């Protein structure tokens, strides 16, 4: 037997927290009977659970790693008809991105239909490292690098300590390639950090997410995560 909110989240309908809201609002029924009690236990195999009158599919959880191309929106649909990340995933299940990358940022993005898993990875208290390669204007001085490493004050708070390494400088073009590793997920964080220290980002790519890399993939290609990778990510999030 499983808690009702967990069963709803695992079916990819919504996150566990939002599922709790749906239950208390009286929008969930089990075997045709409305249930508003949080913590109600159900048998996912035998009980018929419906949200807003629609039965939840007993979907198999799926997990994908996508090399997101530049210019693609981290969403499942776009009202302006632009390309979205789910256009690149071939799955029977409805998947959605875990977190987001700006449309002008390329690189590693995870997608799933497992609401619990997505919440776990996105929870601010769990610190999964993400490495980005940024092409920036100008040539950051050592003191600037130290400033980024210590954390900079942005309008939504100070950033946590980061690892920063200047990989390459091009004097003629007055640009640099910088590797930065962070474990937070503030909106457009890397871009705002570099902007703050006077080196606006020209190009940005997420290279790694925890132990996962883009190895073997070209932009627009994806692969399913292996069961041991999913397990490892869960463990990584919690430790």
């Amino acid at each position: 037997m499983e808690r009702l909110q967990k069963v709803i989240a695992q079916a990819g309908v919504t996150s566990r927290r939002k599922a709790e809201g749906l239950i208390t609002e009286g929008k969930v029924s089990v075997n045709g009977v409305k249930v508003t009690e949080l913590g109600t236990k159900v048998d996912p195999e035998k009980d018929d659970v419906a949200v807003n009158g629609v039965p939840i599919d007993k979907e198999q959880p799926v997990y994908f790693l996508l090399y997101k191309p530049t210019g693609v929106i981290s969403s499942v649909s776009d009202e302006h008809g632009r390309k979205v990340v789910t256009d690149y995933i071939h799955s029977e299940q409805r998947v959605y991105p875990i977190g987001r990358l700006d449309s002008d940022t390329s690189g590693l993005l995870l997608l799933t239909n497992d609401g619990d898993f997505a919440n776990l990875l996105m929870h601010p208290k769990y610190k999964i490292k993400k490495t980005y390669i940024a092409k920036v204007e100008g040539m950051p001085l050592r003191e600037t690098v130290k400033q980024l490493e210590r954390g900079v004050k942005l309008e939504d708070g100070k950033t946590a300590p980061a690892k920063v390494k200047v990989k390459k400088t091009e004097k003629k073009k007055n640009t640099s390639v910088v590797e930065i590793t962070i474990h937070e997920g503030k909106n457009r964080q890397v871009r705002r950090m570099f902007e703050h220290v006077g080196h606006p980002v020209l190009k940005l790519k997420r290279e790694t997410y925890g132990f996962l890399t883009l190895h073997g993939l070209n932009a627009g290609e994806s692969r399913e995560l292996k069961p041991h990778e999913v397990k490892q990510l869960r463990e990584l999030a919690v430790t």
Side-chain angles (χ1 to χ4, degrees):
M1 299 290 274
E2 298 268 21
R3 282 172 169 249
L4 183 53
Q5 53 265 45
K6 186 177 181 184
V7 172
I8 295 169
Q10 284 178 336
V13 177
T14 184
S15 69
R16 198 186 293 200
R17 193 172 300 156
K18 285 187 180 152
E20 289 175 353
L22 291 169
I23 295 166
T24 53
E25 287 161 24
K27 292 180 177 171
V28 177
S29 66
V30 179
N31 302 325
V33 180
K34 185 159 70 170
V35 173
T36 54
E37 192 69 39
L38 286 180
T40 301
K41 296 275 179 85
V42 294
D43 183 334
E45 295 308 312
K46 293 182 187 153
D47 291 322
D48 293 316
V49 178
V51 175
N52 289 322
V54 181
I56 63 169
D57 296 329
K58 312 235 179 347
E59 286 189 347
Q60 278 299 99
V62 289
Y63 310 89
F64 288 94
L65 184 162
L66 170 69
Y67 184 160
K68 183 183 101 58
T70 310
V72 175
I73 313 292
S74 292
S75 176
V76 293
S77 63
D78 180 66
E79 59 212 20
H80 306 297
R82 293 171 296 184
K83 274 257 183 210
V84 293
V85 288
T86 47
D87 293 341
Y88 294 87
I89 302 292
H90 308 293
S91 170
E92 300 289 302
Q93 272 62 324
R94 295 168 305 179
V95 295
Y96 47 87
I98 299 178
R100 57 189 301 280
L101 290 175
D102 305 325
S103 81
D104 45 0
T105 300
S106 66
L108 200 160
L109 186 70
L110 298 178
L111 297 97
T112 186
N113 60 349
D114 181 339
D116 269 357
F117 180 74
N119 269 5
L120 183 67
L121 295 193
M122 291 195 305
H123 200 289
K125 85 173 185 208
Y126 302 127
K127 298 175 169 53
I128 292 185
K129 289 180 179 163
K130 306 162 192 85
T131 300
Y132 296 78
I133 297 288
K135 185 179 183 182
V136 303
E137 279 180 23
M139 286 172 272
L141 300 168
R142 183 175 289 177
E143 186 40 53
T144 308
V145 169
K146 288 227 159 47
Q147 198 183 344
L148 287 167
E149 289 192 318
R150 286 193 299 265
V152 294
K153 283 200 176 85
L154 301 176
E155 56 273 26
D156 50 359
K158 189 178 176 182
T159 61
K163 275 181 78 171
V164 183
K165 192 171 167 187
V166 178
K167 305 282 277 186
K168 195 166 120 190
T169 54
E170 292 210 29
K171 284 206 172 80
K172 277 187 186 160
K173 293 181 179 170
N174 191 30
T175 62
S176 305
V177 175
V178 185
E179 181 184 278
I180 178 166
T181 302
I182 61 172
H183 59 67
E184 299 169 289
K186 293 183 197 288
N187 190 24
R188 294 178 77 83
Q189 180 172 337
V190 173
R191 290 177 184 277
R192 289 181 350 187
M193 285 173 77
F194 280 109
E195 186 102 7
H196 183 84
V197 294
H199 295 282
V201 169
L202 302 169
K203 210 173 170 186
L204 187 62
K205 176 183 172 190
R206 181 151 80 188
E207 293 258 297
T208 71
Y209 187 103
F211 57 88
L212 296 170
T213 70
L214 292 165
H215 183 71
L217 295 177
N218 294 316
E221 292 180 343
S222 67
R223 69 173 180 84
E224 276 202 63
L225 291 183
K226 298 176 177 75
H228 75 85
E229 291 175 324
V230 175
K231 183 169 179 274
Q232 218 176 318
L233 279 171
R234 281 187 203 279
E235 287 165 1
L236 192 63
V238 182
T239 48

